[in-house]
Amino acid sequence: MIDLHCHLDGAITKDIAKKLASMQDIDVSNYTDEEFDNLISLDGDCSDLNEFLRCFEFPLSLLQTKESISAAVKLVQEHMKKQGILYLELRFAPQLHCQKGLSQEDVVLAALDGLEKDDLHTNLILCLMRGERTKAQISRNMETIELAEKYLVADEGIVAVDLAGDEFPYPTEMFAEEMKKIRGFNIPMTVHAGEAGSAENVRFAVENGIKRIGHGVRIADYPSIVDLVVKNGVTLEVCPTSNRQTRAVKNMDEYPIKKFLEAGVKVTLNTDDPAICRTDLQNELKYVKEKFGINEDDEKRMLLNSVDAAFTTAEFKAELREKIKILRG
Ligand SMILES: [Zn+2]
């Protein structure tokens, strides 16, 4: 299994949160187990993406020191490795980890430090944030891009950038300035689009050369955008439980995963925020098999799509394909 779309702050399980809290002398003993669960994850579905985004507050509050960021990267890797993940792309927004005085560069270096201490093959993606176009916000995003450029490697480090945050009020085209700078630096990029906002956000991203889209499920009702995605060989990082919980798709019975595969869209299966969504890749797979008629062939196709779209080297992709062949035939 391969997870290309996993947020660090959304992957802080209860055990990891407790370890991070104790490292920082944060007392969480007054919470019952159930209260603690509810603090860091969602029991059911929520009314919109914003309610979902609020679940990040507590995990994020634990990720404001160099030591806790390094430890979190390491612990999330360990946790994912135990679940049989072969390759992981873990993303985070450095600007969200500066509440206690760290610079974005401190955050990036701390995450890289955590990465070196574990052996699950993992790459990091730096997220820019959607938000009001204030000078400060633009400059935070530009700083993230400059850090990505500074630390960019082909593998085992920072390999790409992403655009995350509240999509509905802040369409992708508002971030054209950032996207231009990213293109100028030739940094690989994925963009959250067609999740909580319009399918047009996917069109804009694809027309601007983006080859990977986070979610993209809202293009299902727009055949011309589905065509555009297919023609451009764009990969969708689909995250079913997260999409259900945030109501990215109005009617989950019509979740378009099978439809996309049949149309030739390069679909990949991912968790988004495994701890917040109380899921893992096995569970996502089970869900799409039981609910949406995904079969063994689809499963293998999605896995190979993940290899093709991974932000890593051709050599490592060949290694992954070989492993998949041995495991799955
Ligand atoms: Zn996401």
Side-chain angles (χ1 to χ4, degrees):
M1 291 186 298
I2 290 173
D3 201 338
L4 298 181
H5 189 133
C6 178
H7 294 260
L8 175 65
D9 48 359
I12 304 302
T13 60
K14 189 160 64 177
D15 284 352
I16 297 176
K18 283 184 174 167
K19 278 182 192 156
L20 297 177
S22 91
M23 274 174 70
Q24 300 171 79
D25 295 325
I26 297 170
D27 184 15
V28 291
S29 60
N30 50 338
Y31 293 112
T32 64
D33 255 13
E34 197 188 341
E35 281 169 346
F36 201 72
D37 273 338
N38 292 330
L39 194 61
I40 60 161
S41 63
L42 277 165
D43 195 8
D45 301 347
C46 39
S47 55
D48 60 19
L49 184 68
N50 271 322
E51 194 183 335
F52 187 73
L53 293 176
R54 275 196 291 277
C55 284
F56 290 87
E57 281 172 19
F58 182 69
L60 258 177
S61 74
L62 297 174
L63 297 168
Q64 301 297 330
T65 67
K66 291 184 200 175
E67 297 73 23
S68 63
I69 293 164
S70 292
V73 170
K74 188 176 186 308
L75 291 166
V76 168
Q77 280 180 278
E78 272 173 17
H79 181 71
M80 300 294 258
K81 192 181 176 187
K82 272 187 217 146
Q83 294 165 13
I85 303 283
L86 294 174
Y87 171 63
L88 171 66
E89 286 182 4
L90 196 57
R91 59 185 79 191
F92 61 98
Q95 61 188 275
L96 298 181
H97 300 265
C98 302
Q99 292 169 9
K100 288 188 180 163
L102 293 185
S103 68
Q104 288 200 41
E105 188 159 20
D106 292 335
V107 176
V108 169
L109 290 172
L112 284 170
D113 189 42
L115 199 58
E116 287 163 2
K117 292 175 190 159
D118 199 82
D119 57 355
L120 167 62
H121 203 116
T122 303
N123 277 316
L124 299 175
I125 298 173
L126 302 186
C127 303
L128 314 180
M129 293 306 292
R130 294 176 189 269
E132 290 293 335
R133 300 302 284 162
T134 60
K135 261 192 180 159
Q137 171 61 14
I138 295 170
S139 116
R140 282 194 288 271
N141 278 345
M142 292 304 178
E143 189 183 342
T144 308
I145 298 168
E146 279 150 26
L147 285 168
E149 201 269 332
K150 182 172 177 183
Y151 292 101
L152 193 72
V153 291
D155 194 32
E156 294 187 279
I158 310 290
V159 291
V161 291
D162 171 35
L163 176 63
D166 195 3
E167 184 190 356
F168 180 68
Y170 306 113
T172 310
E173 63 189 50
M174 283 176 77
F175 304 88
E177 199 181 333
E178 279 93 330
M179 287 165 77
K180 191 173 163 209
K181 190 175 170 101
I182 291 160
R183 266 199 312 277
F185 283 142
N186 226 351
I187 305 170
M189 185 178 195
T190 175
V191 173
H192 279 73
E195 177 194 16
S198 159
E200 285 301 321
N201 288 330
V202 176
R203 188 199 299 278
F204 182 85
V206 175
E207 285 175 348
N208 281 277
I210 301 299
K211 295 290 183 196
R212 261 173 62 172
I213 297 286
H215 307 287
V217 286
R218 290 199 173 174
I219 66 170
D221 296 332
Y222 302 87
S224 70
I225 306 181
V226 173
D227 274 359
L228 184 75
V229 162
V230 173
K231 279 193 189 114
N232 284 276
V234 172
T235 298
L236 299 188
E237 304 155 7
V238 166
C239 313
T241 298
S242 160
N243 289 162
R244 193 193 73 232
Q245 288 186 317
T246 64
R247 301 184 196 276
V249 171
K250 268 192 206 116
N251 181 358
M252 215 45 204
D253 292 338
E254 289 166 18
Y255 194 66
I257 188 165
K258 186 81 179 178
K259 182 175 159 181
F260 283 162
L261 282 162
E262 284 168 352
V265 176
K266 292 185 176 181
V267 176
T268 63
L269 191 68
N270 310 278
T271 56
D272 204 9
D273 301 293
I276 288 176
C277 300
R278 302 186 184 181
T279 191
D280 57 37
L281 260 187
Q282 283 290 6
N283 186 52
E284 294 301 296
L285 198 55
K286 189 166 168 267
Y287 180 43
V288 295
K289 280 182 162 176
E290 285 173 3
K291 286 284 274 187
F292 312 118
I294 292 299
N295 59 35
E296 298 279 318
D297 284 350
D298 298 328
E299 185 190 338
K300 191 171 173 194
R301 171 73 2 235
M302 290 193 292
L303 190 55
L304 291 171
N305 286 341
S306 293
V307 178
D308 292 345
F311 293 131
T312 179
T313 58
E315 291 76 19
F316 182 59
K317 288 184 187 194
E319 227 178 89
L320 279 173
R321 286 191 196 97
E322 205 48 47
K323 269 189 197 160
I324 291 167
K325 221 174 168 180
I326 294 165
L327 290 171
R328 306 185 53 92

